[in-house]
Amino acid sequence: GAVAGLVVDDGHVVDADAVVVAMGPWTHALHGDHVDCKKWKDVSHFPPIVGTKYHAVLLQSPRVLSQAVFFQGLGDPEVYPRPDGEVYVTGFPDRAAVVADLPGETEVRDDVCDRLIHAMNVLSADLRDVPVNRKQACHLPSAPDGLPVLGKLHVDGAYVATGHGCWGILLAPATGEALADLVVTGQAKHLDIAPFAPTRFSRVF
């Protein structure tokens, strides 16, 4: 089997001889019944990606804070200030699990967000009882060994890029360059991606 294209939601087929699957914590959907290819459905070749759910609250500080701070205890909150005075606070991760939420429909639990707000009330005079601009949640994708998953899948023309955890934005430029080289030339010229190959899981699972 080889990649011939993609079928989008309205049934339209987008012709393609190469597809890079960058689906983050939803990578497990690769081996769903909607894929009409016996070779593709051999799930032993797919990276067993799970998601770790993190909640976050965006708080409005009365002044612009200048330092990111990482606490131990009280849910291990991480605090990231922004230039407009807004502060992104995250912590209290769930256990890693296969993600059931659909993209854009991740459940936001008020009780976890309230714990983050309480933690800031205890830890920071600047963030005590400040306005809450937003509550949100996301899933951080990871593989069992903690490394990203980059490279060719077992069907010709199919590639994957996932498993970056909380470092997805930081690692995106290098990942994009490596995958572009791999698709066009057959090898990643500037980065050794062999340790991240998805085939490493077919030997273990």
Side-chain angles (χ1 to χ4, degrees):
V3 167
L6 294 174
V7 180
V8 295
D9 286 345
D10 64 1
H12 178 67
V13 176
V14 179
D15 294 333
D17 57 7
V19 172
V20 177
V21 179
M23 295 170 56
W26 293 278
T27 303
H28 63 82
L30 278 171
H31 49 76
D33 292 336
H34 57 284
V35 181
D36 186 18
C37 174
K38 290 182 179 180
K39 186 176 181 182
W40 188 271
K41 290 182 178 180
D42 182 357
V43 298
S44 66
H45 293 279
F46 284 108
I49 298 296
V50 294
T52 301
K53 187 174 185 176
Y54 273 83
H55 283 73
V57 292
L58 279 66
L59 306 178
Q60 190 63 51
S61 172
R63 67 185 183 93
V64 176
L65 305 180
S66 60
Q67 298 291 327
V69 183
F70 308 91
F71 293 95
Q72 289 187 322
L74 287 176
D76 297 340
E78 301 177 6
V79 182
Y80 302 90
R82 294 175 173 174
D84 61 357
E86 192 171 66
V87 181
Y88 178 95
V89 181
T90 186
F92 293 102
D94 290 359
R95 291 181 180 273
V98 174
V99 176
D101 298 337
L102 294 175
E105 298 181 7
T106 298
E107 178 191 13
V108 178
R109 303 200 306 274
D110 283 335
D111 63 310
V112 182
C113 294
D114 290 344
R115 289 158 70 190
L116 286 168
I117 295 168
H118 173 73
M120 290 301 99
N121 286 341
V122 172
L123 296 169
S124 172
D126 284 302
L127 298 178
R128 185 175 299 133
D129 297 323
V130 298
V132 180
N133 292 345
R134 186 183 305 170
K135 299 177 180 180
Q136 60 191 45
C138 66
H139 301 277
L140 305 182
S142 62
D145 57 9
L147 295 177
V149 182
L150 308 174
K152 296 180 180 180
L153 289 170
H154 59 293
V155 174
D156 292 342
Y159 305 81
V160 66
T162 188
H164 294 74
C166 63
W167 304 109
I169 295 175
L170 181 67
L171 298 177
T175 297
E177 181 186 46
L179 266 293
D181 276 349
L182 185 63
V183 171
V184 174
T185 71
Q187 61 180 344
K189 298 178 181 178
H190 306 294
L191 178 67
D192 179 12
I193 62 173
F196 313 125
T199 52
R200 70 188 191 266
F201 298 108
S202 63
R203 297 191 296 269
V204 177
F205 293 90

